[in-house]
Amino acid sequence: MGLKRQALEGRPEGEPGARAELTKLVGGLRAACPPAAIASSHSDNTLNSKGEFGEMQAEPKLNEKPSSTKPVEEREAVVVRFAGDSGDGMQLAGMQLTTESVFAGNDVSTLPDFPAEIRAPAGTPGGVSGFQLCFASREVYTPGDTPDVLIALNPAALAVNLPDLEPGCMIIVDGETFSDANLRKAGLATNPLKDGSLDRFEVFDVPINKLTASALDGMGLSPKVVSRCKNFFALGLLSWLFQRPIAPTIEWIEKKFWASPELAEANRKVLEAGWNFGETTELFHSAYKVPAADIAAGRYRNLTGNSALSLGLVAASELSGLPLFLGSYPITPASDVLHELAGYKSFPVYTFQAEDEIAGVGSALGASFGGALAVSTTSGPGLDLKQETIGLAVMAELPLIVVDIQRGGPSTGLPTKAEQADLLAAVFGRHGEAPVVVLAAASPADCFDTAIEAARIALKYMTPVILLSDAFIANGAEPWRIPDPDSLPKLKVNLRRDPEGFLPYLRDQETLARPWAVPGTPGLEHRIGGLEKNGEAGSVSYLPEHHEAMVRIRKEKIDRIAREFPPTEVLGERSGKLLVVTWGGTKGSAVAAVRELRRAGRRVSHVHLRYLNPLPSDLGGILGNFEKVLVPEMNTGQLAILLRSRYLKDVTSFSKVQGRPFTVRELREEIEKQLGE
């Protein structure tokens, strides 16, 4: 696996090199992530055209033109959804509009929506790919309940998304794609552009394919290549419509297609054609502008959850002075973490793509035995296969981080859709008494902090930690404030080097953690494995009292971790009629719904849980202060089961298992129902 012996020894705590490397990591984020970084509206720094931070530049605009000669209306927030075939580049267009919005100073939240089938038939509902984005001049908690603008590149895209639209929604379509053949593929009996079914919407028929071909006329490109550029026409049009700066996208095109100047020129031309069409056509009488959000001063990067998780793991490696080892097997939606960490070759990061899930976690546990910060990433089906090795890590008492990015199940299930159904598997999914720590990230940006917290606990308590994310968090994006290296926590590592009085299971009196003895350290030879031990000496024992003693001490070690959790935050009063309790990606919708209802005078409070095993020590008292407790989850009530059994509290479960996150409206209506209002 290429791990160097000296790397496994780690750096002594406090050695300047570790802090210098961390500063290098954070500095690299600032200088090496254009165009996906911005400065807050409060800051005097932003990215210049070279992707470096310098003096505040004027907002980038196409060829330095004024934004628009047409009237410009101001909006507080806008929700846009791109929809087309899976090969139409909807994810790329959506992410670039996200980047432009971040450069414009807006707060953003995104929801990519991929087809579950890799090669679904083109033009059919099963092959529709979507990307929803909310950008606003206020704090954003969700990607929006329903789109204000839908751009649908074919009839199937319109048919799939039509049920989500509210009256007055702006729909942009290419009428020429609504042929009889395409209508049949989409399952439409009549043409919605002609049968009056869209009368309650604002419909704009834009010949996107024809205008894309016209913009590229004379370049000698094949029809297939020309068709692939149409997503940039849609992006250019929406960039004009909402006065987004397209200079960052032009810069991205130049970097992305540097090896194919012809493709770079084609995409740039089509992007500008879309912008210019919006400015010159009589279809649109005005543009819209969303002012910059009033957010905390600092430097920000537009980041997906998987990217934030990767950066958090690299930061944890630098904070601990240990090399990072990732043993993983590709699986949707976790594969991006493996891809990203493989790119951090300038840091002591080692990635191993194993032949299967069991080999992936086995290699990680072996790296942990050798003194590395060890991680294995997966999704639900892979977590099933890793559980026996996680049990071995519990018995061996070695630090190991297992990241489970949840998706719809069981079995292959809905591999590209979000679900929160692995909680009970994470807490109880191993045979025997095998307790582990379970944490859950709340948002894309929160993945960074949760990864560091998972590493801190694993290293301090010598225990496996399961970190739960999901497809919504992993693929979604939001602005992430690049931290000051000095603000990040120090991760204490107790690599045993002194042979005097050494016993492999000699306990730290505070944490009950055993010493971490790296193989090859003189005098620290010891036996380790899956058979039960006799206590501090670590010898194999089959005596009943030894087994019970070891089971109870492993449980007590996990229980003690709750003593150092921060106090549980409550949004609203700490007692009252109704408390909403969430975990994972449900936080954003719940916070938005609770804040909205509290402004209307409703007696409702909210608690979000990062720590799911052990649960926070003060949680029972908080639950007891409320008449009712409502737990919304993207499963059939798994956290509700845990809370009922632990606290004997009558908890109401509110479930959703549709592969989609909760909308604010859904939660608001259920909260009002529980309040009797």
Side-chain angles (χ1 to χ4, degrees):
M1 288 173 278
L3 280 171
K4 299 178 182 177
R5 172 65 201 165
Q6 60 267 31
L8 283 178
E9 293 177 353
R11 290 187 288 269
E13 186 181 358
E15 181 179 328
R19 182 61 57 176
E21 286 293 296
L22 182 63
T23 302
K24 170 183 157 187
L25 170 66
V26 175
L29 293 177
R30 294 174 175 173
C33 61
I38 65 162
S40 152
S41 56
H42 289 173
S43 174
D44 60 356
N45 291 311
T46 188
L47 281 174
N48 62 26
S49 60
K50 296 181 180 179
E52 302 165 343
F53 282 92
E55 295 301 317
M56 177 68 80
Q57 306 293 316
E59 182 180 284
K61 297 183 177 69
L62 173 63
N63 298 331
E64 302 300 324
K65 292 180 181 178
S67 57
S68 178
T69 57
K70 295 181 179 180
V72 178
E73 300 179 18
E74 193 168 294
R75 295 284 182 90
E76 182 186 50
V78 170
V79 178
V80 173
R81 184 182 296 178
F82 291 88
D85 271 329
S86 57
D88 284 342
M90 296 295 89
Q91 308 302 321
L92 191 155
M95 281 303 297
Q96 286 307 124
L97 188 65
T98 303
T99 297
E100 294 176 4
S101 299
V102 172
F103 262 97
N106 299 131
D107 196 8
V108 302
S109 180
T110 71
L111 175 60
D113 185 19
F114 305 94
E117 297 181 53
I118 296 176
R119 293 294 180 191
T124 66
V128 172
S129 176
F131 189 102
Q132 184 162 306
L133 159 68
C134 176
F135 51 92
S137 59
R138 51 170 169 76
E139 188 173 6
V140 169
Y141 301 104
T142 75
D145 283 5
T146 61
D148 300 305
V149 178
L150 169 68
I151 184 160
L153 295 188
N154 60 34
L158 177 62
V160 167
N161 290 282
L162 201 56
D164 295 339
L165 306 185
E166 296 286 345
C169 175
M170 180 186 296
I171 301 176
I172 300 174
V173 295
D174 185 345
E176 293 188 357
T177 66
F178 283 69
S179 64
D180 291 341
N182 286 342
L183 291 172
R184 284 194 297 272
K185 289 180 183 178
L188 295 171
T190 60
N191 188 339
L193 301 183
K194 299 177 180 179
D195 62 12
S197 60
L198 302 181
D199 289 349
R200 63 190 186 279
F201 308 112
E202 269 194 288
V203 180
F204 295 89
D205 187 350
V206 178
I208 294 175
N209 286 283
K210 181 181 291 186
L211 292 171
T212 298
S214 177
L216 301 180
D217 187 35
M219 289 192 65
L221 301 174
S222 69
K224 185 176 181 180
V225 171
V226 171
S227 178
R228 285 180 175 175
C229 294
K230 63 188 175 187
N231 60 329
F232 278 99
F233 187 94
L235 174 60
L237 176 57
L238 289 187
S239 298
W240 171 84
L241 187 62
F242 296 106
Q243 299 298 280
R244 308 287 87 187
I246 67 171
T249 297
I250 293 175
E251 185 172 328
W252 180 88
I253 289 171
E254 292 171 351
K255 291 180 181 296
K256 176 70 175 178
F257 300 103
W258 65 270
S260 302
E262 191 175 54
L263 288 179
E265 182 185 2
N267 285 315
R268 180 186 57 77
K269 278 187 172 183
V270 174
L271 177 74
E272 293 180 355
W275 173 285
N276 291 327
F277 176 80
E279 178 66 16
T280 57
T281 183
E282 296 183 1
L283 281 175
F284 302 100
H285 301 296
S286 64
Y288 303 89
K289 183 173 183 179
V290 178
D294 186 15
I295 57 178
R299 290 168 175 168
Y300 290 76
R301 179 177 177 177
N302 179 38
L303 214 57
T304 66
N306 277 346
S307 295
L309 178 65
S310 302
L311 290 171
L313 292 172
V314 177
S317 168
E318 296 302 323
L319 290 163
S320 65
L322 297 173
L324 175 66
F325 177 87
L326 174 68
S328 189
Y329 179 75
I331 184 172
T332 301
S335 300
D336 286 343
V337 180
L338 174 61
H339 302 158
E340 294 220 9
L341 286 178
Y344 284 96
K345 293 182 173 60
S346 59
F347 295 90
V349 175
Y350 303 87
T351 53
F352 170 55
Q353 180 173 318
E355 64 269 29
D356 56 41
E357 295 282 0
I358 298 173
V361 71
S363 66
L365 185 57
S368 176
F369 182 53
L373 176 60
V375 183
S376 189
T377 54
T378 190
S379 188
L383 182 65
D384 300 342
L385 296 169
K386 295 181 189 295
Q387 292 284 24
E388 184 179 1
T389 303
I390 296 172
L392 176 58
V394 172
M395 177 65 81
E397 297 188 50
L398 286 168
L400 174 68
I401 301 171
V402 176
V403 179
D404 174 21
I405 301 176
Q406 302 163 95
R407 70 189 205 187
S411 187
T412 307
L414 300 173
T416 61
K417 309 299 181 181
E419 203 162 275
Q420 291 179 288
D422 296 352
L423 177 57
L424 294 182
V427 176
F428 300 119
R430 294 151 300 284
H431 66 280
E433 295 289 341
V436 301
V437 179
V438 180
L439 309 179
S443 69
D446 185 54
C447 287
F448 178 85
D449 296 317
T450 306
I452 294 176
E453 177 68 350
R456 184 192 70 80
I457 292 174
L459 295 172
K460 182 175 180 178
Y461 288 88
M462 294 291 289
T463 182
V465 175
I466 296 179
L467 193 167
L468 297 175
S469 177
D470 62 54
F472 170 46
I473 296 173
N475 296 320
E478 65 180 347
W480 169 67
R481 188 178 180 182
I482 299 175
D484 181 342
D486 292 330
S487 70
L488 299 176
K490 293 181 179 179
L491 303 187
K492 187 176 182 180
V493 179
N494 293 315
L495 287 178
R496 180 73 181 241
R497 291 183 171 88
D498 182 8
E500 184 68 27
F502 169 73
L503 291 171
Y505 285 84
L506 185 66
R507 304 284 172 179
D508 179 278
Q509 294 304 302
E510 177 190 355
T511 65
L512 298 181
R514 77 173 188 88
W516 196 1
V518 175
T521 306
L524 300 186
E525 296 83 0
H526 62 287
R527 182 163 58 179
I528 197 169
L531 292 174
E532 189 58 282
K533 314 296 185 295
N534 69 350
E536 294 178 351
S539 301
V540 174
S541 173
Y542 300 107
L543 293 178
E545 56 269 28
H546 285 167
H547 175 56
E548 179 155 356
M550 293 297 282
V551 165
R552 293 191 181 280
I553 203 167
R554 286 191 291 262
K555 180 180 184 302
E556 174 65 18
K557 180 175 70 169
I558 300 302
D559 290 343
R560 286 191 181 189
I561 297 173
R563 300 184 305 184
E564 62 181 57
F565 292 165
T568 301
E569 296 182 3
V570 180
L571 172 59
E573 291 78 21
R574 297 186 71 87
S575 63
K577 189 170 183 179
L578 178 65
L579 177 68
V580 179
V581 180
T582 59
W583 69 278
T586 308
K587 178 182 180 180
S589 298
V591 168
V594 169
R595 287 188 181 277
E596 184 178 324
L597 289 168
R598 287 185 57 78
R599 285 193 295 267
R602 306 293 197 271
R603 294 180 59 199
V604 58
S605 300
H606 173 253
V607 159
H608 183 79
L609 300 178
R610 167 185 280 179
Y611 305 97
L612 297 166
N613 193 57
L615 290 163
S617 302
D618 59 354
L619 181 59
I622 294 172
L623 297 180
N625 289 334
F626 289 86
E627 297 176 25
K628 294 182 179 181
V629 175
L630 177 67
V631 181
E633 306 177 74
M634 289 191 290
N635 55 49
T636 57
Q638 297 188 17
L639 178 60
I641 290 172
L642 293 180
L643 297 183
R644 288 191 198 107
S645 63
R646 174 69 183 274
Y647 303 109
L648 303 181
K649 178 75 175 180
D650 186 14
V651 173
T652 300
S653 175
F654 181 47
S655 297
K656 180 177 182 178
V657 279
Q658 300 176 8
R660 291 181 170 189
F662 282 98
T663 65
V664 177
R665 174 184 294 177
E666 288 171 333
L667 291 181
R668 185 180 64 241
E669 291 176 351
E670 180 63 24
I671 291 169
E672 289 178 327
K673 175 183 174 183
Q674 294 298 322
L675 290 171
E677 299 172 0

